[in-house]
Amino acid sequence: MFTWLRSRLETPPLWRTALSAEASLDLAVADVTRQLKTVRPAQLAAVFISSSFASDLPRVLPLLKRGIEAEHWIGCCGSGVIGAEAGRPTQELEQQPGLSLTLLHLPGAVLQPFQLAMDQLPDLDGSPQPWQELIGMDPADCGGLLLLTDPGSRGVKDLVSGLDYAYPDSVKVGGIAANHAANHGSLLFGDGIGASAVGCAIGGDWGLEAVVSQGCRPIGPVFEVEASARNVMLKLQEGSDPQGASLAPVKCLQSVIEGLEPADRELVRHSLFIGIGRHNFSLSNAADDETFLVRNLMGVDPQSGAMAIADSIRIGQRVQFQLRDGRASREELQQLLLQQRQRCGNRPLGAFLFACLGRGEGLYGMANVDSGLGRSIFPGLPISGVFCNGEIGPIARSTALHGFTASWCFLVPRSATAPQSG
């Protein structure tokens, strides 16, 4: 017993990343293996690989296991990957071949990898116990869940809702992997291709903390939904006066646009979104810190002025039009990361970044902005991740599926001791 305890106390935590931009899978694997050849055996290996290698995806884990020793393996392919060689700045490799490998060794951690079939999920109306049995960890021990899903899988919202139900106090962070034309999935688990969802529950002395940056700024007033049908807004009301006029959403948008500066009017043409309130269902008793979940606008009915959005909408919900641009995304992320640093100081061992494929150079006009902000606010922080088809992360005390988002996952000790990254 005392030998085990002494070994646990003397073994430092480890987060090491490797990154390769080699165009051949065999060369990329050899490259990251060379970078990590001196690293001690890991408990968890997280693999992010470009969809350029989609046809070779079943070969990835067998090849890596020849030169890398790790107890558990999870990962996915994306439209790009994020990582770094030791001692070098983090890079975001977009729309090009890339392989990012992260090795973790966490003294005192309890790790429980899992894979789930979306068509076999428990009932959301039943007990949370079947969900907990699927994951394999007691909620009291769980400090967070990494979650990756296949782009062809249906029921991601049900999965997220079920995990919130079973693990209400645990952070869930991750993303949807990239599409590809190969005849297999996009996830990695164990020895090869994973099921429709894979992940790892992390507990013991370690947990996860999340930052979700939606990258939008509000325009115009907050409206209340007066009439709706599934995902279609039929009538909106501005202000808290119950006798106020109900207007078609298109009319409300037109009034908002009239008050914008010319530059923002131009953004409306291609960067307009809608925010759905997550706290209250009444403008009269709304909190000042209302959180909005940003969703796409799907279309309008020119005759009725109704507006369809990429989510269900209910009478009484609050909505606000939003604009997305590089400046707003940068400023919001910087503010959120600064708030995270105040909460956790310099404690993070490392961070996973699940970024929308619509961010990166396409949004900012330059590379490495999201990861660069992370490194500037957390100097020396190891960062790895992937560009996703959708991001998973908490907002307003529940977990949601996002788009155009940077969803950050910080690995932190749950004890008072602040470790240093390896």
Side-chain angles (χ1 to χ4, degrees):
M1 173 178 177
F2 292 107
T3 300
W4 169 85
L5 180 59
R6 184 170 60 252
S7 173
R8 172 175 164 182
L9 292 174
E10 292 176 352
T11 303
L14 170 77
W15 178 303
R16 282 286 303 275
T17 68
L19 179 69
S20 177
E22 294 284 355
S24 157
L25 177 62
D26 294 271
L27 291 177
V29 168
D31 192 8
V32 299
T33 300
R34 172 190 58 79
Q35 296 174 43
L36 298 172
K37 64 181 179 181
T38 61
V39 176
R40 66 182 184 270
Q43 293 169 299
L44 178 66
V47 183
F48 303 116
I49 187 165
S50 166
S51 54
S52 303
F53 295 119
S55 61
D56 283 330
L57 208 59
R59 301 175 54 223
V60 172
L61 293 187
L63 284 175
L64 285 170
K65 286 187 169 187
R66 292 178 185 177
I68 303 292
E69 187 175 349
E71 184 178 359
H72 306 298
W73 293 77
I74 64 169
C76 70
C77 70
S79 65
V81 301
I82 303 163
E85 292 191 44
R88 296 188 178 182
T90 304
Q91 295 185 64
E92 301 174 12
L93 302 181
E94 303 179 59
Q95 304 297 329
Q96 67 179 85
L99 173 61
S100 174
L101 175 61
T102 298
L103 299 181
L104 301 179
H105 184 84
L106 307 173
V110 177
L111 302 181
Q112 182 58 60
F114 57 86
Q115 60 176 333
L116 310 173
M118 292 291 197
D119 58 354
Q120 299 177 13
L121 296 179
D123 194 336
L124 285 169
D125 295 326
S127 164
Q129 184 175 351
W131 289 91
Q132 295 160 4
E133 292 173 350
L134 275 181
I135 301 303
M137 184 175 287
D138 189 311
D141 298 330
C142 187
L145 295 97
L146 286 173
L147 181 63
L148 303 169
T149 68
D150 196 272
S153 300
R154 298 182 178 180
V156 177
K157 288 187 177 180
D158 287 344
L159 171 61
V160 169
S161 296
L163 293 179
D164 271 352
Y165 179 41
Y167 297 90
D169 299 322
S170 300
V171 169
K172 300 97 185 166
V173 188
I176 301 176
N179 288 303
H180 57 73
N183 61 351
H184 51 70
S186 299
L187 305 179
L188 298 168
F189 187 85
D191 295 318
I193 302 299
S196 48
V198 304
C200 184
I202 298 176
D205 291 344
W206 294 85
L208 304 179
E209 295 181 2
V211 166
V212 176
S213 174
Q214 298 188 92
C216 279
R217 54 187 168 91
I219 55 171
V222 175
F223 297 93
E224 183 175 315
V225 178
E226 288 287 292
S228 66
R230 292 186 292 187
N231 71 321
V232 178
M233 298 187 299
L234 302 173
K235 294 290 182 181
L236 300 178
Q237 174 198 323
E238 179 187 348
S240 58
D241 182 2
Q243 303 302 319
S246 295
L247 300 174
V250 169
K251 290 287 188 182
C252 295
L253 176 58
Q254 288 172 344
S255 69
V256 170
I257 294 174
E258 290 173 358
L260 297 178
E261 298 292 331
D264 284 347
R265 291 185 187 181
E266 180 63 25
L267 278 176
V268 167
R269 298 175 59 184
H270 53 79
S271 299
L272 179 67
F273 297 82
I274 189 79
I276 305 173
R278 303 288 284 182
H279 284 165
N280 295 289
F281 284 80
S282 172
L283 287 168
S284 59
N285 63 2
D288 292 335
D289 62 344
E290 175 70 281
T291 301
F292 289 90
L293 179 61
V294 176
R295 287 291 185 249
N296 285 325
L297 292 171
M298 306 300 292
V300 300
D301 182 340
Q303 291 186 333
S304 68
M307 187 175 291
I309 65 177
D311 208 337
S312 58
I313 192 75
R314 290 172 285 173
I315 294 173
Q317 279 191 290
R318 307 173 72 210
V319 297
Q320 188 174 29
F321 293 104
Q322 310 269 333
L323 285 181
R324 174 175 282 118
D325 60 16
R327 178 178 62 83
S329 295
R330 187 193 299 258
E331 290 175 354
E332 184 203 30
L333 177 57
Q334 183 175 32
Q335 179 183 15
L336 291 171
L337 290 175
L338 286 170
Q339 292 172 355
Q340 175 65 18
R341 189 179 68 182
Q342 290 179 335
R343 286 193 296 269
C344 69
N346 291 320
R347 293 190 307 141
L349 182 67
F352 289 116
L353 170 55
F354 302 95
C356 177
L357 54 83
R359 294 177 73 95
E361 287 194 65
L363 177 63
Y364 296 113
M366 58 187 300
N368 306 323
V369 172
D370 284 339
S371 60
L373 280 172
R375 294 272 294 190
S376 68
I377 294 171
F378 293 91
L381 181 74
I383 300 170
S384 58
V386 63
F387 284 90
C388 305
N389 273 356
E391 303 75 57
I392 298 167
I395 184 170
R397 298 180 296 278
S398 63
T399 309
L401 181 62
H402 303 271
F404 296 95
T405 297
S407 190
W408 289 75
C409 172
F410 293 89
L411 183 63
V412 298
R414 300 172 80 184
S415 63
T417 302
Q420 300 298 316
S421 59

